Amino acid sequence: MCLMSRRDYDNATVGRVAAAKNERRPRRVILIISKTGIISERLISALEREFSWVLVEEVEQVAAACNVFAHPVSLILVDPGMIDEADERYIELLRLHPDALAAAIEPNDENLTASFLKLTRSPLVHSVLPMNLRLDTWLSVIGLMLCGGDYLPPALILDARRNGHAPGGAKLPGAPINGTGVSELTARELQILEMVSRGLQNKLIAAEFRLSEHTVKIHLHNIITKLGAHNRTEAVARFRSLQERL
């Protein structure tokens, strides 16, 4: 009879516990927006093995991403060449996928600075997913993003620290768009602001999102503060002005 060592037994137990946790985790979607198949099938298979609770959906058009999927979207990965198009519909994307973090897929280091500069102007994408990492490191970055954590390649951060600014003199991600501050709003705050702009009162907004009216008031206070507005009417005016420019 072949007896299992204590170490093997512990590893097997850890594996079973991890598998059980994954089975209990709610299903989530990673949404890839790309016309080029920028992430290989091999990497997608590795991703789905590592995160068994995740489904990968690939679309070739930003319009196709503006849909409801079988499960909530936790991560949106965007081809750098499609960021501008995605930004044009970012309000719709965040309304449909309020819990999703968005990241630019970067195939190589040569384009990192260009991608970063594009990120500084993007209201949607504030992270970069490098494709030239070791597989275990790449999967760790994906795991961080699935938990809602932003990621920028260390080379870019070091360059920014050395120079006191982002590459090319740009502002770091999260800076206000044309002074409006809309890019600083969370997905939930953006949803609430959109509903306020439609004339809905706090009570109806609270019912829509299953929140208390007090929580809605806190969100509105944060929205008004981030936009530098004096009241909800001014906040709505700034929001509508941005929509008209997009």
Side-chain angles (χ1 to χ4, degrees):
M1 179 182 294
C2 180
L3 297 177
M4 181 182 293
S5 69
R6 179 66 184 182
R7 180 177 181 180
D8 289 340
Y9 176 81
D10 289 343
N11 288 340
T13 301
V14 170
R16 286 195 298 270
V17 171
K21 286 183 178 179
N22 280 337
E23 288 178 0
R24 291 196 298 269
R25 295 195 69 162
R27 301 288 272 175
R28 291 292 183 266
V29 169
I30 293 179
L31 180 58
I32 301 173
I33 306 175
S34 174
K35 295 179 181 179
T36 61
I38 197 167
I39 299 182
S40 68
E41 291 183 8
R42 179 182 66 84
L43 283 177
I44 290 175
S45 296
L47 193 158
E48 290 180 330
R49 285 196 304 271
E50 180 73 13
F51 308 104
S52 59
W53 44 277
V54 162
L55 298 175
V56 177
E57 296 278 0
E58 297 180 85
V59 297
E60 295 185 352
Q61 303 290 337
V62 173
C66 298
N67 284 301
V68 176
F69 293 85
H71 305 284
V73 175
S74 286
L75 178 60
I76 302 173
L77 301 176
V78 188
D79 188 309
M82 302 179 72
I83 289 178
D84 290 340
E85 185 182 352
D87 282 344
E88 291 177 359
R89 304 187 68 162
Y90 88 96
I91 291 176
E92 186 176 4
L93 285 168
L94 290 183
R95 178 176 61 81
L96 290 165
H97 314 303
D99 299 321
L101 178 142
I105 306 167
E106 186 47 64
N108 54 67
D109 286 338
E110 295 177 3
N111 297 323
L112 275 176
T113 298
S115 292
F116 188 87
L117 290 173
K118 187 171 289 189
L119 259 61
T120 62
R121 299 187 293 270
S122 173
L124 176 69
V125 180
H126 291 164
S127 291
V128 174
L129 175 63
M131 297 302 295
N132 61 349
L133 302 175
R134 283 176 30 183
L135 178 59
D136 57 343
T137 304
W138 187 79
L139 289 171
S140 295
V141 172
I142 292 284
L144 171 68
M145 291 178 173
L146 286 170
C147 293
D150 285 314
Y151 179 83
L152 292 174
L156 284 177
I157 297 173
L158 290 173
D159 186 78
R161 285 177 177 173
R162 281 196 299 268
N163 297 306
H165 53 68
K171 295 180 180 179
L172 291 170
I177 305 171
N178 296 330
T180 66
V182 171
S183 64
E184 297 181 6
L185 300 182
T186 66
R188 178 64 78 202
E189 289 167 350
L190 191 60
Q191 285 180 315
I192 289 174
L193 181 55
E194 193 270 337
M195 296 187 79
V196 171
S197 73
R198 294 185 353 229
L200 297 179
Q201 298 301 311
N202 291 355
K203 184 175 182 178
L204 293 176
I205 296 172
E208 174 70 20
F209 296 119
R210 298 181 180 178
L211 302 172
S212 68
E213 288 189 60
H214 177 69
T215 300
V216 172
K217 288 179 181 178
I218 291 174
H219 280 306
L220 282 171
H221 171 77
N222 292 336
I223 290 167
I224 290 168
T225 300
K226 289 178 180 180
L227 295 183
H230 294 93
N231 50 50
R232 64 192 285 158
T233 302
E234 186 177 338
V236 166
R238 296 191 181 197
F239 177 68
R240 287 175 175 166
S241 176
L242 176 63
Q243 285 183 308
E244 291 171 359
R245 292 200 300 271
L246 293 176

